[in-house]
Amino acid sequence: MTWSDAPCPVLVLGPDAAPVDANHAARLLLPGLFAEGPSPGTVPSWLAAAHHRVGAGANGTPATSPTGSIGDRHYLARSTPAKGGGTAWWLFDDTDRARARAELRRVEERSETLVQVSSTLLASLNMPRCIEATARLAAEHLAEAAVLITPPQGRRHPLAYARRGEPVVQEVRQVDPSSVPGLSEALQGFPPVPARWINPALIPDWLIPAGFPGPVGSVIVTPLPGHGVPAGALVLLRAGTEQAFTAEEEGFAQFFAARAGVALSAARLYGEQTSITATLMRELLPPALESVHGVEYAGRYRPARDHERVGGDFYDVHPGAGPDEETLVVLGDVAGKGLDAAVLTGKIRNTLQALLPLATDHARVLGLLNGALLTSHHTRFATMVLASVRRRDGVVHLRLTSAGHLPPLVVRTDGTVEELPTYGTLVGALPEVSVRTAETVLAAGETCLLYTDGITEARGGPLGDELFGERRLRQALPECAGMPGEAIVEHVQMLASQWLGSGRHDDMATVAISAPRSGPPAADGGPRADALPGRNR
């Protein structure tokens, strides 16, 4: 069989790519090529270019088979030498395979787009950034412009406008979703309305980004599904000069919206949890201390884990109703570390808050607290020290009661360090609490230090296995004589941290109760520091 009898089109071209001959199939495919007249047909440009590369009369074939379109079909060409000179180009219909390759490329590109969308959106749990990224990626990959509408905040909706190649604009404004076909339903999580059902002429001005090129020609409105609650809706816009959205593009837009909805929902949930955590954390964190009724208070807290903010150590200062009323100071240590200990810490602090009307009777307060802990589901216990503080006659009077806690230490102005003789059983473990209260007086410049075992049990030193201990704490306190309470607690925490180095540690809490140096002098009726009777009882 010769080329003239081939069922596929065969076109013979001369050295200058001019048509020399063709079989019947080629003449049907290119009917004007051999027609006589002033405007004969021409060889397809892609085929002529391939012919020039082969070279007129060449015996070889090109390294790759050229391909190109003729009409609405796609062809692959192969060359062979023709008798009498020239080159015979055999044209094989490759339309179906070309379409399959194009579809495969589109699927691969869209898969890459979805991977990029997922990685970009899930890289941040910040809601505004996630909204900005969603709108920007939608405008970049899906349409000329995109508008993202999230659920309303009151009567106003957060909106993000994006145009291809332009910065995303976010704003909150009062809009009417019912003015956009399918938008109200999308915001409630219902399936999208087909684009062909939406009349672009009905799109209100508030939905069109500033600088949009021309009237809207095609619109897609699709919901952004979330975790149980819709994350919003995405509107895609094309100008009148652009082709209308196809059913395939609508499907891809829904895939995009599903990925974006997951990311937005995760960001929303994270934001809500962060807000809740911050609210709860404000109640769990130790308070900032300051001067109350002429007495100075200072506190420092360091949790066992540096990445946490709360733990099992706590302190509180409950001011008296007036200068003549006692201020209650509480410092405690719940067994354990981390969030579980912090939860019990919060319960203890709330219980003590409720027991403030009984604060003058330390034993009763500790007994009631002990009963409350024993009847709860918690299995942890706690140690603590209560201090009732009142300034009178230029000095500070203290009543302190320890419940299984380390003894308070008083730093006198001459550098003497005194241990107050108070002791008792811990709370939350035994049916009854037995305690002994001690009393003392602070003259101007003197401080009573309360601390938890995170200070004394800090394990470190030269070999990393020795406790800081009460002895070292006592040896360090004389140099703090006369220092403000803020400086004392800072110094104690610093010494313990230096002893630890990079080692692990328990929660650390310190509170200083100080009589200010600005108190009334002895000449005005205030007692001298060396003339105070019964310093400790």
Side-chain angles (χ1 to χ4, degrees):
M1 181 180 70
T2 63
W3 61 263
S4 59
D5 300 319
C8 66
V10 181
L11 181 63
V12 180
L13 301 180
D16 57 353
V20 174
D21 204 351
N23 67 355
H24 179 68
R27 292 178 184 272
L28 290 177
L29 180 64
L30 300 166
L33 197 60
F34 295 95
E36 297 180 359
S39 301
T42 57
V43 176
S45 58
W46 62 270
L47 185 59
H51 181 78
H52 286 300
R53 288 196 298 271
V54 171
N59 293 325
T61 58
T64 58
S65 300
T67 60
S69 297
I70 301 176
D72 60 351
R73 309 295 292 179
H74 193 272
Y75 289 87
L76 180 146
R78 298 185 183 278
S79 62
T80 59
K83 288 184 178 181
T87 300
W89 288 95
W90 301 63
L91 305 177
F92 300 96
D93 193 326
D94 194 44
T95 303
D96 292 340
R97 189 166 66 169
R99 289 175 179 172
R101 286 197 300 267
E103 180 62 25
L104 179 60
R105 283 195 299 271
R106 283 195 295 271
V107 171
E108 290 175 345
E109 290 173 357
R110 287 173 178 173
S111 296
E112 292 175 358
T113 299
L114 291 177
V115 170
Q116 178 189 357
V117 168
S118 297
S119 61
T120 301
L121 295 180
L122 295 176
S124 173
L125 290 175
N126 180 280
M127 191 64 171
R129 292 180 185 174
C130 200
I131 291 174
E132 185 273 337
T134 299
R136 175 175 51 80
L137 290 171
E140 180 179 343
H141 295 287
L142 303 178
E144 280 185 273
V147 182
L148 192 149
I149 305 100
T150 54
Q153 300 174 355
R155 297 184 178 181
R156 299 162 67 86
H157 284 78
L159 304 173
Y161 296 92
R163 287 175 48 224
R164 191 177 300 167
E166 298 293 333
V168 176
V169 177
Q170 296 192 50
E171 60 182 55
V172 179
R173 58 191 297 188
Q174 188 169 349
V175 298
D176 181 12
S178 63
S179 62
V180 181
L183 181 55
S184 294
E185 294 77 6
L187 288 171
Q188 298 177 52
F190 290 104
V193 174
R196 64 182 182 276
W197 292 4
I198 301 177
N199 183 357
L202 299 179
I203 299 301
D205 292 340
W206 66 263
L207 193 61
I208 303 174
F212 186 74
V216 177
S218 187
V219 184
I220 288 178
V221 178
T222 184
L224 296 169
H227 296 293
V229 179
L234 180 65
V235 179
L236 304 176
L237 304 173
R238 279 183 176 169
T241 56
E242 292 278 334
Q243 63 177 349
F245 288 108
T246 64
E248 182 182 6
E249 289 173 324
E250 286 189 69
F252 180 65
Q254 293 173 26
F255 277 116
F256 177 96
R259 301 288 182 94
V262 169
L264 288 168
S265 183
R268 177 183 60 80
L269 290 174
Y270 177 78
E272 292 177 353
Q273 292 173 357
T274 301
S275 177
I276 293 172
T277 300
T279 301
L280 296 176
M281 193 68 69
R282 283 196 295 269
E283 297 300 319
L284 293 176
L285 286 173
L289 303 186
E290 55 187 14
S291 178
V292 176
H293 300 325
V295 181
E296 294 178 350
Y297 301 93
R300 281 290 181 274
Y301 174 69
R302 180 183 178 185
R305 300 179 179 91
D306 291 337
H307 64 279
E308 295 178 345
R309 299 179 62 194
V310 296
D313 288 7
F314 66 95
Y315 56 79
D316 276 308
V317 173
H318 302 284
D324 294 332
E325 300 291 332
E326 289 182 326
T327 292
L328 181 66
V329 180
V330 182
L331 180 134
D333 183 359
V334 173
K337 305 179 181 68
L339 186 59
D340 289 339
V343 171
L344 183 55
T345 293
K347 179 173 182 177
I348 292 175
R349 295 173 69 186
N350 289 336
T351 304
L352 289 172
Q353 180 82 29
L355 295 175
L356 283 179
L358 308 176
T360 55
D361 189 343
H362 290 181
R364 187 178 181 189
V365 168
L366 292 172
L368 292 172
L369 176 61
N370 184 67
L373 294 182
L374 290 176
T375 57
S376 71
H377 67 278
H378 296 284
T379 59
R380 299 173 185 268
F381 57 86
T383 67
M384 65 182 61
V385 58
L386 305 183
S388 291
V389 186
R390 177 169 54 191
R391 182 172 178 173
R392 185 174 56 197
D393 299 330
V395 295
V396 175
H397 296 261
L398 291 175
R399 291 189 303 109
L400 299 107
T401 305
S402 172
H405 203 79
L406 296 168
L409 299 175
V410 175
V411 184
R412 301 298 183 185
T413 52
D414 61 359
T416 303
V417 177
E418 299 176 4
E419 177 182 310
L420 297 183
T422 174
Y423 54 83
T425 54
L426 47 80
V427 293
L430 302 174
E432 300 291 336
V433 173
S434 175
V435 295
R436 175 183 175 181
T437 299
E439 296 184 16
T440 191
V441 176
L442 302 179
E446 296 181 339
T447 295
C448 178
L449 180 68
L450 313 179
Y451 55 96
T452 60
D453 59 9
I455 300 294
T456 55
E457 295 181 6
R459 189 176 296 276
L463 300 179
D465 61 350
E466 189 175 357
L467 299 181
F468 184 70
E470 293 184 45
R471 180 176 60 84
R472 288 188 178 85
L473 177 60
R474 289 170 177 270
Q475 291 174 347
L477 287 178
E479 62 188 71
C480 298
M483 292 171 57
E486 187 75 24
I488 294 176
V489 295
E490 187 71 32
H491 184 67
V492 170
Q493 291 269 8
M494 180 191 69
L495 291 176
S497 298
Q498 290 175 343
W499 184 259
L500 280 167
S502 59
R504 299 175 62 183
H505 61 89
D506 198 355
D507 298 325
M508 298 179 182
T510 50
V511 170
I513 306 169
S514 303
R517 284 189 170 277
S518 58
D524 293 337
R528 301 190 311 272
D530 58 356
L532 294 172
R535 279 295 191 97
N536 298 334
R537 289 186 295 174

